[in-house]
C-alpha cells in the first residue's frame, strides 16, 4: 500500500489526518511531542488535572474539538508520538523514536511542522530568565509554571498581548508589556484589522484587560538591555520609550518575541524550492496555492508553510489533504479545495494588516545589533564577527558567512539566530534582505542521540 | 533596580500542584519535583539555571522551552544527554548541570 505521512500533529496536521481518514486513507502521523495539539492547543502531561477554560481561555472549545478529533482518529492512523524527523532524503524520512531510530518511506508527505518565535537579540538576551514569548506560553500551558514571579513581556505581535494576558489571568505579577510597534501603526492598520472580526475583538479584549489591571503598556519602544542581578540572573530591563527616553523596569524574567518564523528545514531537505516572502521576511517553501510543493507528492500546511495563525492552519491542513486526494483522482475534492481557498482568502487581509501593518518587525533593531552582542547563542558568534566576515572575508550570503563564523552551525541549526543574522548581513552589504539568501536546511534538523548512530541506523 | 523576595527557582508554579512528588538529585543535592514535570521544570523550580555555556561558562536556563533552541541539554550521571524541556523527570534521576554537549 502506498504510504502517506504527516509530520506535525498541530491544528494543520490534525485536520489533514482527519480529511485523509474520511477518504479512507490511513496516514502515519509523526510528532515530536508526546501528545497531539501543536503549539496553540498544547496539552499538559496526563497527570495534570486542569480546567480547559483556564488553559485555553476563549480557545477552550476549539482546543477540545481538536483534541477529541485526533483522539477519535487514533485507531485509523498510525500515530508516532515522541518521534522527531531529523532527516529527509529522497522519499525516506529518518526518525528518532522512543524505541530507537527508524526509516520511513513515503509516497505522499504532508509537512505541517509549525513555527517558532522570531528572535531579535539585544544586550542580555542570553541571561537565564530570558525566554521566548512562545516559551513563556509553553511553561504556562504545558507545565502550569510562570517563567518568573515578576515578568516583563517585550517584542511585538498579537501573541505579546495574548501571552501577557494569560499570565495576568493566572495570577502572575506582569510588570509591563513593551511593544516595539508604534501605536500609530495600529491605528493605520485598523480598517484591515477590523476584517478579523472575532479574532480582532479578542485581541482588543486582552489589551483592555491588561489595562484594567493597571499593567503598564507601552508602544513604540526599543529594548536596550536586560540587566543581570548579583547572581547573574535577570534583575530588570532597560528600554527607550517612544520619545527615546530611557526607562527601567525591575523584573525577574523576560518573555521576548517578535512574531513567528516558519519551520521549513524538512521541506528544504525534500528538495522543495523556496520563494522570499516580503511580509514574513523569510524564504518559504513554494507551493501552488493549494498546498502542493514543487516536488511531487509533497504538500505543505499550517504555519510551517507560512505563518497565518491557528484557524488558517486548520484550513490549510484540510486543503493539503484535499489536494493530495484530488491528485489521487478523487474528483469531489475539487469542490472542497475551492471552498477552503475562499475561506483562507478571507483571513488573508486580516493577516496582512497584522503582520505588515499593526506589528511590523523591527528590522532596524535586528540589523543594528552592537558589534559585541552575541547573535548565535549556540556557537557564541557576535554581530561584529558576522560583519567582519562581510568586510574581510567577502561573505555575500548567509551560507558563506556561516562557513566563516560558525553562526548557524550550532545545535539549533540557525533557528534562533537566522532571522537577525540575515538582517545584519543585508544591512552590512547594503542589499535587500532576500539578496543574502537563507541558511540551507541540513540534517540533522533536530539533534539525534548518539545511540541512533551507534545502532548503525545512521550512516 | 532589583526585586526583593525571590523564590528559590526561576520558574514559579501557578496551578496543578496536587501531583505526586518525585525525588531526584541535581549535582548531588537531593531535590523534589512533581510527576509530569519536565526535567527543565524540575530543575528550574529549584534553581535559577540549568547548565553553563560551553564557551564562557555563563549560566543558561533554556530559552524556547519547545525543543527548538537546544539550549537546555543536561547530563545524567551515567553520561546520557537529555533535552530538559522535552524530557519528563523520573524518580531517582541523577542530573548534572555540567558537561552536557547535546549528543
Ligand atoms: C510556542 C507557541 C505558542 C503559540 N500560541 C498561540 C496561541 O496561544 N494563540 C494563537 O492564536 N497562536 C499561537 N501560536 C501560533 C501557532 O503557530 C498557530 O496558532 C498554530 O499552532 C499553528 O498550527 P500548525 O499546525 O501549523 O503548527 P504547530 O501547532 O506548531 O504544530 C506543529 C507540530 O509539528 C511538530 N514538528 C515540527 N517539526 C517536527 C519534526 N522535525 N519532527 C516531528 N515533529 C515535528 C511539532 O512538535 C508540533 O507539534 C503559537 C505559536 C508558538 C510557536
Ligand atoms: S529550551 Fe529550547 S530546546 Fe529546550
Amino acid at each position: 500500500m502506498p504510504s502517506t505521512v504527516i509530520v506535525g500533529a498541530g491544528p494543520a496536521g490534525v485536520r489533514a489526518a482527519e480529511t485523509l481518514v474520511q477518504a479512507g486513507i490511513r496516514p502515519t502521523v509523526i510528532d515530536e511531542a508526546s501528545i497531539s495539539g501543536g503549539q496553540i492547543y498544547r496539552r499538559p502531561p496526563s497527570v495534570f488535572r486542569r480546567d480547559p477554560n483556564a488553559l485555553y481561555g476563549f480557545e477552550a472549545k476549539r482546543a477540545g474539538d481538536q483534541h477529541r478529533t485526533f483522539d477519535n482518529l487514533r485507531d485509523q492512523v498510525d500515530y508516532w508520538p515522541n518521534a522527531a524527523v531529523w532527516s529527509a532524503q529522497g522519499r525516506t524520512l529518518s526518525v528518532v523514536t522512543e524505541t530507537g531510530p527508524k526509516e520511513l518511506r513515503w509516497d505522499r508527505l504532508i509537512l505541517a511542522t509549525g513555527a517558532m518565535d522570531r528572535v531579535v537579540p539585544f544586550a542580555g538576551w542570553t541571561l537565564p530568565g530570558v525566554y521566548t514569548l512562545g516559551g513563556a506560553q509553553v511553561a504556562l500551558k504545558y507545565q502550569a509554571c510562570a517563567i518568573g514571579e515578576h515578568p516583563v513581556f517585550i517584542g511585538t505581535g498579537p501573541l505579546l498581548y495574548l501571552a501577557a494576558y494569560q499570565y495576568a489571568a493566572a495570577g502572575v505579577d506582569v510588570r509591563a508589556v513593551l511593544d516595539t510597534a508604534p501605536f500609530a501603526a495600529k491605528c493605520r492598520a485598523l480598517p484591515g484589522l477590523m476584517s478579523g472580526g472575532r479574532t480582532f475583538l479578542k485581541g482588543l479584549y486582552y489589551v483592555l484587560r491588561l489595562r484594567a489591571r493597571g499593567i503598564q503598556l507601552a508602544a513604540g519602544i526599543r529594548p536596550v538591555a536586560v540587566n543581570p542581578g548579583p547572581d547573574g540572573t535577570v534583575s530588570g530591563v532597560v528600554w527607550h520609550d517612544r520619545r527615546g527616553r530611557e526607562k527601567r523596569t525591575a523584573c525577574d524574567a523576560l518573555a521576548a518575541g517578535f512574531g513567528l518564523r516558519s519551520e521549513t528545514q524538512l521541506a528544504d531537505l525534500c528538495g522543495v524550492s523556496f520563494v522570499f516572502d516580503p511580509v514574513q521576511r523569510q524564504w518559504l517553501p513554494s507551493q501552488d496555492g493549494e498546498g502542493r510543493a514543487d516536488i511531487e507528492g509533497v504538500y505543505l500546511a499550517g504555519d510551517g508553510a507560512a505563518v497565518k495563525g491557528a484557524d488558517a492552519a486548520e484550513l490549510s491542513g484540510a486543503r493539503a489533504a484535499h489536494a493530495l486526494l484530488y491528485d489521487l483522482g478523487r474528483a469531489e475534492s475539487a469542490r472542497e479545495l475551492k471552498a477552503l481557498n475562499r475561506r483562507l482568502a478571507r483571513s488573508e487581509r486580516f493577516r496582512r494588516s497584522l503582520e505588515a501593518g499593526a506589528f511590523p518587525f523591527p528590522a532596524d533593531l535586528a540589523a543594528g545589533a552592537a558589534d559585541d552582542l552575541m547573535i548565535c547563542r549556540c556557537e557564541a558568534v557576535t554581530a561584529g564577527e558576522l560583519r567582519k566576515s562581510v568586510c574581510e572575508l567577502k561573505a555575500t550570503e548567509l551560507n558563506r558567512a556561516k562557513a566563516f563564523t560558525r553562526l548557524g552551525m550550532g545545535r539549533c541549526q540557525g533557528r534562533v539566530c537566522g532571522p537577525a543574522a540575515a538582517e545584519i548581513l543585508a544591512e552590512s552589504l547594503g542589499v535587500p534582505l532576500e539578496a543574502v539568501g537563507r541558511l540551507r536546511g541540513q540534517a540533522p534538523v533536530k539533534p539525534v542521540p548518539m545511540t541512533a548512530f551507534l545502532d548503525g541506523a545512521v550512516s | 533596580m532589583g526585586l526583593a523576595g525571590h523564590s528559590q527557582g526561576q520558574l514559579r508554579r501557578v496551578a496543578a500542584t496536587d501531583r505526586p512528588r518525585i525525588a531526584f538529585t541535581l549535582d548531588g543535592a537531593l531535590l523534589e519535583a512533581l510527576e509530569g514535570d519536565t526535567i527543565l521544570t524540575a530543575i528550574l523550580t529549584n534553581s535559577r539555571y540549568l547548565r553553563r555555556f560551553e564557551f564562557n561558562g555563563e549560566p543558561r536556563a533554556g530559552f524556547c522551552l519547545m525543543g527548538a533552541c537546544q539550549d537546555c541539554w543536561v547530563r545524567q550521571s551515567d553520561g546520557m544527554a537529555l533535552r530538559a524541556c522535552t524530557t519528563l523527570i523520573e524518580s531517582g534521576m541523577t542530573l548534572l548541570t555540567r558537561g552536557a554537549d547535546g549528543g
Side-chain angles (χ1 to χ4, degrees):
Chain A
M1 216 176 53
S3 133
T4 305
V5 179
I6 300 172
V7 183
V14 167
R15 288 298 166 214
E18 181 190 32
T19 308
L20 293 178
V21 166
Q22 281 163 357
I25 288 179
R26 185 185 179 89
T28 303
V29 182
I30 308 177
D31 199 299
E32 210 182 345
S34 58
I35 185 160
S36 80
Q39 299 302 351
I40 172 167
Y41 308 128
R42 185 181 283 268
R43 289 187 259 189
S46 53
V47 301
F48 285 70
R49 282 184 310 241
R50 293 200 66 193
D51 173 14
N53 291 309
L55 262 177
Y56 305 112
F58 289 130
E59 261 53 78
K61 210 175 137 268
R62 235 179 154 122
D65 180 48
Q66 274 273 322
H67 299 155
R68 258 188 320 276
T69 300
F70 195 72
D71 294 346
N72 290 339
L73 290 175
R74 283 292 285 274
D75 295 337
Q76 293 147 285
V77 301
D78 293 315
Y79 178 37
W80 297 15
N82 296 314
V85 181
W86 64 267
S87 183
Q89 272 182 309
R91 299 203 160 230
T92 303
L93 300 178
S94 306
V95 193
V96 228
T97 73
E98 283 168 312
T99 53
K102 284 194 180 134
E103 307 263 285
L104 181 64
R105 269 204 54 89
W106 55 268
D107 298 291
R108 283 166 285 274
L109 175 66
I110 298 181
L111 295 173
T113 45
M116 72 169 285
D117 293 85
R118 184 163 51 180
V119 175
V120 175
F122 47 89
W125 74 293
T126 56
L127 288 175
V130 181
Y131 292 98
T132 61
L133 188 58
Q137 274 195 316
V138 171
L140 199 59
K141 282 188 208 169
Y142 183 56
Q143 293 284 286
C145 282
I147 55 167
E149 297 201 29
H150 315 281
V152 162
F153 289 76
I154 198 165
T156 197
L159 293 182
L160 188 66
Y161 296 90
L162 168 64
Y165 164 80
Q166 289 168 331
Y167 265 64
V172 180
D173 170 36
V174 174
R175 285 294 163 105
V177 182
L178 307 175
D179 188 345
T180 55
F183 183 66
K186 288 167 196 111
C187 297
R188 272 196 307 273
L190 198 60
L193 290 177
M194 308 251 287
S195 74
R198 208 177 91 88
T199 312
F200 170 64
L201 291 177
K202 276 188 293 191
L204 203 59
Y205 174 85
Y206 301 139
V207 172
L208 293 175
R209 290 307 302 164
L210 289 164
R211 249 191 224 301
R213 284 178 188 267
I215 293 166
Q216 178 179 25
L217 307 181
I221 68 100
R222 279 288 173 274
V224 176
V226 192
N227 283 344
D231 57 354
T233 60
V234 175
S235 74
V237 57
V238 184
W239 49 285
H240 284 162
D241 75 5
R242 65 194 171 89
R243 297 212 175 81
R245 289 174 303 204
E246 188 169 292
K247 304 274 175 182
R248 284 159 189 270
T249 307
C251 59
D252 64 352
L254 207 74
F258 298 81
L260 300 175
R261 56 168 289 282
S262 301
E263 176 74 19
T264 59
Q265 283 91 344
L266 289 179
D268 205 354
L269 293 185
C270 285
V272 174
S273 62
F274 278 59
V275 283
F276 185 73
D277 182 300
V279 175
Q280 211 176 306
R281 300 180 80 79
Q282 188 187 350
W283 286 83
L284 295 175
S286 54
Q287 52 155 307
D288 69 348
E290 291 185 342
R292 284 182 198 86
D294 57 3
I295 296 289
E296 203 211 319
V298 178
Y299 301 82
L300 308 162
D303 274 3
V307 172
K308 294 183 194 294
D311 296 357
E314 289 192 39
L315 296 172
S316 69
R319 180 176 69 179
H322 277 296
L324 185 159
L325 292 168
Y326 182 82
D327 296 345
L328 287 179
R330 187 175 180 273
E332 309 91 285
S333 280
R335 211 185 52 237
E336 305 281 352
L337 281 170
K338 265 213 181 92
L340 287 164
N341 264 337
R342 259 200 309 276
R343 292 174 67 188
L344 280 162
R346 246 178 278 149
S347 62
E348 195 54 36
R349 178 170 182 223
F350 176 60
R351 244 5 258 185
R352 267 203 312 272
S353 2
L354 270 186
E355 285 271 328
F359 302 105
F361 179 68
D364 58 319
L365 182 67
D371 274 342
D372 63 350
L373 182 66
M374 193 189 292
I375 299 296
C376 167
R377 64 188 284 141
C378 299
E379 297 286 320
V381 182
T382 62
E385 288 169 76
L386 187 56
R387 293 192 180 106
K388 216 162 96 187
S389 79
V390 172
C391 296
E392 292 174 14
L393 303 165
K394 307 273 178 283
T396 53
E397 58 92 40
L398 270 174
N399 294 289
R400 296 282 293 168
K402 171 177 170 178
F404 292 141
T405 63
R406 298 190 57 75
L407 172 137
M409 252 185 222
R411 279 177 272 154
C412 89
Q413 290 272 331
R415 283 177 178 85
V416 175
C417 63
E423 301 284 354
I424 293 170
L425 207 58
E427 206 257 355
S428 310
L429 288 161
V431 299
L433 187 62
E434 58 267 40
V436 302
R438 65 198 169 84
L439 287 172
R440 274 188 294 274
Q442 244 172 15
V445 305
K446 294 273 172 166
V448 184
M450 281 314 285
T451 46
F453 289 91
L454 297 178
D455 287 354
V458 180
S459 50
Chain B
M1 268 201 313
L3 291 160
H6 273 316
S7 64
Q8 271 286 353
Q10 178 65 44
L11 300 188
R12 181 191 150 203
R13 299 188 191 276
V14 299
T17 48
D18 56 345
R19 290 170 282 141
R21 289 161 199 283
I22 279 181
F24 71 102
T25 67
L26 180 66
D27 298 329
L30 188 65
L31 297 173
E32 207 176 71
L34 300 180
E35 197 182 321
D37 281 356
T38 61
I39 290 175
L40 183 136
T41 301
I43 296 179
L44 291 180
T45 46
N46 286 287
S47 152
R48 295 295 297 264
Y49 69 90
L50 271 184
R51 67 182 200 106
R52 290 193 176 274
F53 185 44
E54 305 80 325
F55 287 80
N56 58 15
E58 67 182 25
R60 291 274 174 94
F63 184 53
C64 73
L65 306 190
M66 52 174 274
C69 75
Q70 318 304 332
D71 203 351
C72 66
W73 287 79
V74 297
R75 209 169 261 287
Q76 257 189 150
S77 57
D78 65 2
M80 176 134 106
L82 298 164
R83 191 168 63 191
C85 73
T86 54
T87 312
L88 295 184
I89 187 94
E90 285 165 30
S91 176
M93 272 183 168
T94 50
L95 302 171
L96 305 170
T97 56
R98 280 176 183 273
D101 59 17

